[in-house]
Amino acid sequence: KIADWLAAPPPRGCRHIVEVGGYRTPISSFLNGHHLSVTTIDPYIRPYASDTLNGEACRVRHLPTMFADYPLTGEEDCFVYMGLDYYDEDNQPLCGTLKETVHRFERVVVDYAAKYPTGAACFKALELPSAFERVANVVLEFEGNRWPDLSGSWLPTGLTARVLYVLQHRNTHTLKEQRRAFANPQEYSGAGAEAGNAAEKGGGG
């Protein structure tokens, strides 16, 4: 929950947020700004739908499904994944295939367990530093906390150190233009056609 709370401020400027893996603590529970839509995708989350958030119009959805089965609209500009560790239904790692999708977002907020091998490996597979600037980086260490009896559990050594990254895409302007074209295909193609016609007229004169 601490990591979720820390992740809430970074998406403040995002219009359309998509979160993977919210389960019991979806990001919509921690946001206090204004957004047009917040969608949390987790196969184990309880379904939820609302058209308001923080007293303002916002499409909030909690969807019990796999991210691979969710069709993105093309308007999403912020990606949140708290507890980065991406697998398919057969428990096969999918972080490599997730890379292309994540690189389409303007802002990415991810958290993973530093001492849990698959979480760190997943972060590395996304190759985020190649396309994103680091806005913030927080490391939470819970090693000294009092844990209950977890004999035989991997929890104390696996999840006691959390790493949170807030990243901004270097080509934000290009991504915005791509989304604009996706949202207004007629306007976009029309502008291109007009430019083409002008060029033809200029060449013929």
Side-chain angles (χ1 to χ4, degrees), residues 27-184:
I27 195 70
S28 57
S29 303
F30 302 90
L31 297 171
N32 54 23
H34 175 55
H35 310 278
L36 297 182
S37 71
V38 182
T39 305
T40 297
I41 302 163
D42 188 306
Y44 303 107
I45 199 170
R46 290 184 178 181
Y48 174 79
S50 176
D51 292 323
T52 60
L53 180 66
N54 301 322
E56 299 188 69
C58 178
R59 186 180 187 275
V60 181
R61 298 292 186 271
H62 299 168
L63 306 176
T65 187
M66 301 290 288
F67 182 60
D69 298 328
Y70 176 77
L72 294 171
T73 66
E75 295 183 334
E76 298 88 353
D77 55 353
C78 191
F79 178 85
V80 179
Y81 198 149
M82 308 305 292
L84 186 62
D85 199 5
Y86 193 54
Y87 290 87
D88 63 13
E89 294 177 342
D90 297 320
N91 205 36
Q92 296 298 312
L94 284 177
C95 285
T97 59
L98 188 64
K99 170 191 166 183
E100 182 178 351
T101 300
V102 175
H103 279 230
R104 298 173 187 168
F105 290 85
E106 290 180 31
R107 179 159 292 195
V108 171
V109 181
V110 294
D111 151 88
Y112 64 92
K115 298 178 182 178
Y116 191 46
T118 57
C122 191
F123 179 80
K124 183 177 180 180
L126 292 179
E127 298 183 14
L128 296 173
S130 66
F132 292 82
E133 297 286 351
R134 184 174 60 182
V135 177
N137 180 206
V138 178
V139 178
L140 302 174
E141 179 58 73
F142 303 107
E143 187 70 39
N145 286 10
R146 291 185 178 181
W147 297 90
D149 183 10
L150 296 170
S151 301
S153 172
W154 47 263
L155 180 60
T157 58
L159 299 180
T160 53
R162 311 292 309 181
V163 180
L164 173 71
Y165 276 96
V166 180
L167 305 164
Q168 186 76 26
H169 203 289
R170 293 191 181 96
N171 296 321
T172 298
H173 177 73
T174 301
L175 294 176
K176 285 182 178 179
E177 287 299 312
Q178 290 175 350
R179 266 197 302 279
R180 177 176 175 274
F182 185 92
N184 303 286

